[in-house]
Amino acid sequence: MKLDAKIPEGPLAEKWTNYRSYTHLVNPANRRKVDIIIIGTGLAGASAAATLGEAGYNVKVFCFQDSPRRAHSIAAQGGINASKNYQNDSDSNYRLFYDTVKGGDYRGREANTYRLAQISGAIIDQCVAQGVPFAREYGGTLANRSFGGAQVSRTFYASGATGQQLLLGCYSELNRQIRKGNVKSYTRHEMLDIVVIDGKARGVIIRDLVSGEISRHSAHAIVLATGGYGNVFYLSTNAMASNATAAWRAYKKGAFFANPCYTQIHPTCIPVSGEYQSKLTLMSESLRNDGRIWVPKNKEDVKKDPRQIPEEDRDYYLERRYPAFGNLVPRDVASRAAKERCDAGYGVGPTGFAVYLDFKDAIIRLGEDLIRDRYGNLFEMYERITGDNPYNYPMRIYPASHYTMGGLWVDYELGTTIPGLYALGEANFSDHGANRLGASSLMQCLADGYFVLPATISNYLSEEFRHPAIPIDNPAFDQAEKEVKERIEKLMAIKGSQSVDELHKKLGRIVWNYIGLSRNEEKLTKALQLIDELKKEFWTDVKIPGSSKGMNIELEKAQRVADFLELAALMAKDALNRKESCGAHFREESQTEDGEAKRDDEHFRYVAAWEYAGEDKEPILNKEPLEFENIELKTRNYK
Amino acid sequence: MNYTLKIWRQKNAADSGSFVSYKVENIDGETSFLEMMDVLNQQLVTRGEEPVAYDHDCREGVCGMCSMYINGRAHGPNELTTTCQLYMRHFKNGSTIIIEPWRAKPFPVIKDLMVDRSAFDRIQQAGAYISMNAGSAPDANNIMISKEAADAAFEAAECIGCGACVAACKNSSASLFVSAKLAQFALLPQGQVERYQRTLNMVQAMDAEGFGSCSNTSACEAECPKGISVKHIAMMNRDYLKATMCSEKVMS
Ligand SMILES: Cc1cc2nc3c(=O)[nH]c(=O)nc-3n(C[C@H](O)[C@H](O)[C@H](O)COP(=O)(O)OP(=O)(O)OC[C@H]3O[C@@H](n4cnc5c(N)ncnc54)[C@H](O)[C@@H]3O)c2cc1C
Ligand code: SF4
């Protein structure tokens, strides 16, 4: 299939304006007749639901948490980027665009990324007007800080709780629309399948997590804002229930899945401490503004009290290898460098898989009060978990699974390959190429929800509104509901011996060891074989107590892990296919002499969009070539 | 370390529920409270029994899902700590730990330790917003806000909506939760236009949901994992009084 990204004509800086000038609209009176279903209430879903509600559409919004306010976005810490240039440091839309494309190692789409930069300023305006309490300078203006991959200060933040404050902003507007009757919210409800009628997305099958009941919901358009798949690693910084089921069900109904192998391993997380560990905690990238990363120069010092190790015996390896960006290199570079030092035997802490993040110099330079002001709640969180006080003992950190650049393939309008099915936020693949820069996900989620989708969806609905409300007794609904119920009963009937968590942990170990920070052909081939074996083990040996009627937490988890197993295989296939290194995807076969990622633009300058071909059939690879008309392709250099 | 757990088990909202005792063994002090619960649930699943249902998600103390009443205290013994951020090193080896759901009429139990907090959402729907459509905002730096005001609004806005304040209060009052949201907006210039109407609407919604009244014991502040201050309740009461005494026009 030829993929049409629907990129508007015209010079880069005018594409979005042109698009909006000519796109088709639905008149306000007709919007009432249009039903839209949104799955997800994170930044992307909640902002979209609120804005489409404001526009006057009939919106239904679903999430599996007990309140829309608790979506995973709530946990984002560090900040949100915007090219406001409030710091007068020569920031601009072009520079934000350039940094994002370069940070993504030239594997993102130019037009989408430029639009993101153009919209970024309006997001901050919107959030401030909503009452989001961003950090301020004494003079009353907004404060900024720097994040990795940038030499300007363009990150807006609310202490270490930026995601919480932004999400509560969306939630407040969502609440206003719920009160007005424009949006209806369903909590503790999980989408288990998409219904496609005559080639168009027309509905969803939902399970009520409290009663266990399965229900059908129809609409003129369906929007997935269901987050990323970082939990395929089992241990990750994502919330426990974050999962890929919605995206995966869409894939199996015909939506292409793009670049699944682009998974981001975040360099600064609290290291793994024990076998019962259920998740890994992120220490925000913002800490790299003032913290310095190091390991001992001498192997005999790795178990020593770090405070006793003199300056000359410390290896500030990021500052050494990348003098221009120092501790603020992009995440993929920082993660690989940490792994390199630990694998070479210089890692610290009880397991040897940790490096120091040290605030000693910053505290001397700026004083403890200022550091507390900037990072107080992160330091507290660290201390609560580890028992160590970072004001007088360096933090120990190690890379962990954090974010997924891959996701459902979407065109410029955020439409998937199923007409009428849209994907927003982390669930789509579009803006970050092979590596996302810090503070850019929150920006993308809110750009998608507040500004992009509300403009693009009307182009589709301008014809669809003529269609009367979609009946839910269509045979496609019967079929989808039947499949969902059969799958549930099949899982319940296995009555094996292993819990879902045990199997998920096994999957996580395979993904981390074979499709993790650094990949090669042998490991990836092995991964495919191991995943296949584990999938069989899962479908013959999983144990789910209780019944499918009423609440059943193990059943919820089992369905998600079943999908992760299939997605992991696609990740490995995609990684095998991409025989270059780019961004977060590091193929050991493709590196420079000093161990940096080596791209192969001649053969791999494309988006890999995978098409489902049926159970036990090889998925089909579709390629969307990437054109760079405004940026010269270069080897990334942070030195 | 080893523990005896006395856990509230209740099949569904209609069931009357009761305590059941379990043993967990070889728990490391670095294990979090919820990871200890995972260990228990793993044992139960292996035995073919239904695991204990409890709410949790981010496990970083910010989503507000987790909600256990541990040894008679909301979120357990540590101050400024959610259940998910509690570690077993704070519990003595060999001790018995009593674990219950939030107990409050407006928070009916759904199953085991899981309660229905949708009343909180409905209160927020009654007015916890600044009415402003996407796209109509002025440039962000046109609204100057002193650092003190921004910091104070942020402190109020840090409420995670967990409901510990309600569980800790003998009257099941939601005053701390509601006042925190009101204060966030009342402290900011953007929140002034709708300030008094918002207060009226939210306080009325809180009463309609059946939350009790505040009798100033400050039990809520003591248990709040985010350290939300009771001074917000005083501000809410003042605003409410103003709102009921004058017409909105006069005030703005
Ligand atoms: C610890 C942490 C810190 C971060 N910090 C930053 C930061 O500082 N800056 C930054 O830019 N990014 C940050 N990120 C990344 C960023 O938070 C996420 O990428 C972003 O919030 C994703 O938002 P979303 O709206 O796409 O999805 P999510 O917030 O993940 O929301 C998904 C929603 O979909 C719902 N859902 C999913 N599946 C289903 C289903 N089948 N049925 C019904 N509902 C479903 C869920 O209930 C939820 O409401 C951070 C991430 C983590 C893990
Ligand atoms: S005020 Fe405190 S205890 Fe009450 S809901 Fe908010 S965070 Fe929880």
Side-chain angles (χ1 to χ4, degrees):
Chain A
M1 177 175 158
K2 173 137 175 34
L3 287 165
D4 179 7
K6 298 193 189 156
I7 296 171
E9 294 297 318
L12 188 62
E14 289 164 28
K15 285 183 193 294
W16 181 232
T17 324
N18 288 346
Y19 178 90
R20 286 198 303 170
S21 305
Y22 301 116
T23 193
H24 300 289
L25 303 175
V26 183
N27 102 32
N30 285 331
R31 292 182 201 155
R32 294 257 158 269
K33 302 180 202 153
V34 177
D35 299 318
I36 301 175
I37 286 176
I38 297 179
I39 312 292
T41 60
L43 287 173
S47 58
T51 311
L52 294 172
E54 287 167 2
Y57 295 105
N58 273 320
V59 180
K60 280 186 184 176
V61 64
F62 296 84
C63 69
F64 56 68
Q65 287 91 353
D66 78 328
S67 162
R69 66 179 289 158
R70 305 203 205 278
H72 162 59
S73 294
I74 198 92
Q77 302 172 346
I80 175 166
N81 287 330
S83 53
K84 283 280 198 189
N85 193 33
Y86 281 165
Q87 303 307 323
N88 195 23
D89 52 5
S90 299
D91 200 4
S92 65
N93 290 343
Y94 185 84
R95 194 179 288 279
L96 174 53
F97 156 74
Y98 179 86
D99 288 347
T100 310
V101 172
K102 176 185 172 195
D105 217 354
Y106 308 93
R107 288 294 173 262
R109 208 187 268 152
E110 274 195 342
N112 285 55
T113 312
Y114 197 84
R115 174 177 66 190
L116 181 61
Q118 278 175 310
I119 292 174
S120 65
I123 297 172
I124 304 302
D125 300 342
Q126 162 83 5
C127 296
V128 167
Q130 271 175 349
V132 170
F134 282 119
R136 301 259 163 185
E137 303 293 354
Y138 282 100
T141 53
L142 287 153
N144 288 115
R145 59 189 173 201
S146 306
F147 258 52
Q151 289 172 315
V152 294
S153 277
R154 62 161 75 101
T155 306
F156 295 79
Y157 62 98
S159 187
T162 316
Q164 180 197 26
Q165 295 310 319
L166 295 175
L167 185 61
L168 293 180
C170 300
Y171 169 73
S172 69
E173 184 52 21
L174 183 64
N175 281 334
R176 186 165 75 100
Q177 296 308 319
I178 293 172
R179 181 176 170 92
K180 283 185 150 181
N182 297 340
V183 177
K184 188 159 169 33
S185 155
Y186 297 78
T187 60
R188 297 196 197 267
H189 278 69
E190 184 154 20
M191 187 212 99
L192 295 178
D193 213 348
I194 301 264
V195 180
V196 179
I197 303 176
D198 299 331
K200 291 178 177 167
R202 291 300 196 193
V204 289
I205 306 293
I206 301 276
R207 182 166 183 271
D208 177 333
L209 300 179
V210 176
S211 69
E213 255 164 55
I214 307 285
S215 58
R216 308 170 175 194
H217 301 261
S218 67
H220 294 85
I222 316 286
V223 180
L224 300 184
T226 47
Y229 51 90
N231 273 345
V232 67
F233 286 84
Y234 184 73
L235 283 179
S236 88
T237 61
N238 289 14
M240 297 298 289
S242 295
N243 71 84
T245 287
W248 196 250
R249 298 283 115 201
Y251 165 70
K252 293 182 103 170
K253 283 280 162 84
F256 292 4
F257 205 106
N259 301 333
C261 81
Y262 293 167
T263 53
Q264 180 166 77
I265 310 293
H266 196 293
T268 55
C269 303
I270 301 180
V272 178
S273 68
E275 71 171 300
Y276 296 132
Q277 192 134 359
S278 57
K279 79 157 284 173
L280 294 172
T281 302
L282 177 77
M283 284 289 107
S284 167
E285 173 159 315
S286 58
L287 294 170
R288 288 200 269 144
N289 268 286
D290 291 307
R292 296 178 72 194
I293 295 179
W294 63 278
V295 291
K297 266 190 192 152
N298 308 311
K299 284 188 188 166
E300 47 293 1
D301 286 350
V302 296
K303 298 284 174 220
K304 245 197 201 157
D305 181 340
R307 293 167 300 184
Q308 310 302 329
I309 301 177
E311 247 345 87
E312 62 274 18
D313 289 339
R314 299 175 174 202
D315 177 13
Y316 295 93
Y317 56 88
L318 288 176
E319 296 169 30
R320 167 170 61 77
R321 285 177 66 178
Y322 309 99
F325 281 69
N327 293 296
L328 284 173
V329 290
R331 293 173 175 179
D332 53 331
V333 177
S335 288
R336 277 196 296 278
K339 180 176 176 343
E340 187 278 328
R341 282 293 79 191
C342 294
D343 288 350
Y346 296 91
V348 298
T351 59
F353 286 98
V355 300
Y356 292 122
L357 175 61
D358 200 337
F359 291 88
K360 187 185 67 152
D361 294 347
I363 290 174
I364 293 171
R365 184 164 42 93
L366 304 165
E368 197 168 312
D369 285 346
L370 193 63
I371 294 296
R372 181 168 288 113
D373 204 42
R374 285 188 187 162
Y375 313 110
N377 49 358
L378 294 172
F379 277 33
E380 272 167 37
M381 178 146 79
Y382 182 86
E383 184 169 3
R384 213 170 288 132
I385 294 174
T386 61
D388 288 340
N389 170 1
Y391 292 101
N392 66 35
Y393 194 95
M395 284 184 176
R396 279 193 294 261
I397 50 155
Y398 197 67
S401 158
H402 176 63
Y403 179 87
T404 52
M405 283 72 67
L408 291 173
W409 184 88
V410 290
D411 57 24
Y412 190 74
E413 298 185 311
L414 304 182
T416 67
T417 48
I418 303 176
L421 181 70
Y422 293 79
L424 317 188
E426 195 175 339
N428 75 25
F429 88 104
S430 66
D431 297 0
H432 308 291
N435 174 56
R436 173 174 72 79
L437 292 184
S440 283
S441 173
L442 303 186
M443 167 173 71
Q444 182 224 331
C445 290
L446 292 181
D448 287 0
Y450 280 134
F451 298 107
V452 181
L453 183 80
T456 59
I457 201 168
S458 70
N459 204 25
Y460 176 72
L461 296 172
S462 62
E463 277 306 314
E464 290 299 314
F465 84 89
R466 295 171 210 285
H467 200 296
I470 320 291
I472 53 169
D473 53 4
N474 183 292
F477 272 100
D478 297 342
Q479 181 62 24
E481 182 177 322
K482 185 165 154 270
E483 280 169 20
V484 163
K485 286 185 169 159
E486 281 173 359
R487 191 173 136 93
I488 289 175
E489 291 320 315
K490 194 171 161 194
L491 282 165
M492 295 303 300
I494 298 170
K495 299 196 188 331
S497 69
Q498 299 182 65
S499 73
V500 181
D501 285 354
E502 283 175 283
L503 290 154
H504 193 178
K505 276 182 202 171
K506 285 185 181 171
L507 174 65
R509 273 196 289 269
I510 297 172
V511 178
W512 180 252
N513 290 330
Y514 298 93
I515 329 176
L517 256 178
S518 122
R519 301 153 174 186
N520 65 40
E521 177 144 0
E522 195 192 13
K523 284 203 270 188
L524 292 168
T525 314
K526 179 85 180 159
L528 278 172
Q529 178 210 329
L530 293 173
I531 293 166
D532 193 47
E533 286 166 16
L534 187 63
K535 189 176 162 190
K536 291 197 183 98
E537 197 175 320
F538 177 90
W539 282 99
T540 49
D541 198 33
V542 71
K543 179 169 188 155
I544 307 171
S547 102
S548 59
K549 313 277 176 292
M551 174 173 282
N552 188 326
I553 312 158
E554 294 298 302
L555 174 61
E556 291 165 25
K557 290 194 286 191
Q559 305 200 68
R560 297 170 190 158
V561 173
D563 290 336
F564 275 140
L565 278 159
E566 296 180 7
L567 172 58
L570 193 66
M571 269 171 73
K573 282 185 187 141
D574 187 40
L576 258 179
N577 169 67
R578 195 169 281 279
K579 295 188 178 62
E580 64 163 351
S581 294
C582 59
H585 170 63
F586 189 75
R587 280 287 298 257
E588 288 159 14
E589 299 92 330
S590 179
Q591 52 180 308
T592 61
E593 266 169 28
D594 46 0
E596 303 295 339
K598 196 163 133 205
R599 278 197 333 262
D600 175 353
D601 293 331
E602 196 190 330
H603 299 103
F604 293 98
R605 193 167 41 84
Y606 63 76
V607 174
W610 297 89
E611 177 179 358
Y612 182 68
E615 208 68 45
D616 301 320
K617 291 219 180 75
E618 280 302 304
I620 301 159
L621 174 61
N622 297 274
K623 298 178 184 175
E624 179 201 336
L626 290 167
E627 306 300 340
F628 292 90
E629 290 164 358
N630 302 279
I631 284 189
E632 188 196 342
L633 283 159
K634 284 194 202 152
T635 300
R636 278 196 311 173
N637 181 2
Y638 292 98
K639 293 196 168 166
Chain B
M1 294 187 283
N2 306 329
Y3 302 98
T4 304
L5 308 173
K6 274 180 74 179
I7 301 181
W8 185 259
R9 301 292 318 247
Q10 182 174 336
K11 277 203 176 61
N12 49 45
D15 183 27
S16 56
S18 62
F19 281 104
V20 180
S21 287
Y22 302 97
K23 289 215 174 326
V24 286
E25 285 165 1
N26 296 323
I27 302 289
D28 188 275
E30 298 310 300
T31 310
S32 77
F33 198 86
L34 295 186
E35 284 161 3
M36 181 277 293
M37 292 296 292
D38 294 341
V39 172
L40 170 70
N41 277 347
Q42 172 67 35
Q43 287 172 21
L44 295 179
V45 173
T46 310
R47 296 208 298 257
E49 292 172 37
E50 273 207 59
V52 180
Y54 65 88
D55 273 321
H56 66 109
D57 201 17
C58 78
R59 297 204 176 189
E60 291 189 2
V62 67
C63 74
M65 286 285 272
C66 64
S67 45
M68 290 183 192
Y69 207 74
I70 301 163
N71 288 342
R73 294 191 63 183
H75 289 305
N78 289 16
E79 266 166 33
L80 300 176
T81 305
T82 53
T83 304
C84 67
Q85 300 263 284
L86 200 54
Y87 282 77
M88 294 314 292
R89 55 178 178 267
H90 303 297
F91 293 86
K92 260 208 216 106
N93 185 18
S95 59
T96 298
I97 307 173
I98 301 170
I99 311 171
E100 297 168 81
W102 284 175
R103 303 233 190 239
K105 242 220 222 93
F107 289 165
V109 173
I110 292 174
K111 183 175 183 173
D112 299 336
L113 304 173
M114 216 178 242
V115 299
D116 178 353
R117 286 171 287 192
S118 53
F120 269 14
D121 283 335
R122 288 188 296 273
I123 296 174
Q124 303 253 346
Q125 286 156 18
Y129 42 73
I130 288 168
S131 301
M132 214 260 329
N133 283 3
S136 53
D139 184 85
N141 262 350
N142 277 349
I143 310 174
M144 302 280 261
I145 302 173
S146 73
K147 185 172 182 321
E148 290 76 13
D151 288 351
F154 173 77
E155 276 172 30
E158 271 197 298
C159 163
I160 56 174
C162 62
C165 45
V166 175
C169 174
K170 62 179 171 31
N171 304 331
S172 301
S173 165
S175 294
L176 194 63
F177 166 77
V178 176
S179 66
K181 197 70 207 174
L182 286 169
Q184 176 196 344
F185 291 135
L187 288 160
L188 294 172
Q190 305 93 300
Q192 299 311 313
V193 179
E194 296 164 290
R195 177 170 177 176
Y196 297 98
Q197 193 57 49
R198 177 184 306 120
T199 307
L200 274 181
N201 291 354
M202 286 180 70
V203 170
Q204 281 162 7
M206 165 173 82
D207 293 342
E209 292 291 343
F211 291 98
S213 50
C214 170
S215 51
N216 298 316
T217 65
S218 299
C220 51
E221 185 184 272
E223 299 296 38
C224 171
K226 294 290 146 179
I228 304 290
S229 157
V230 289
K231 67 176 190 243
H232 301 315
I233 301 183
M235 182 181 335
M236 170 174 82
N237 291 341
R238 274 198 310 275
D239 280 7
Y240 186 74
L241 200 66
K242 270 195 200 166
T244 46
M245 281 169 48
C246 327
S247 80
E248 218 196 327
K249 263 209 187 82
V250 178
M251 286 171 320
S252 51

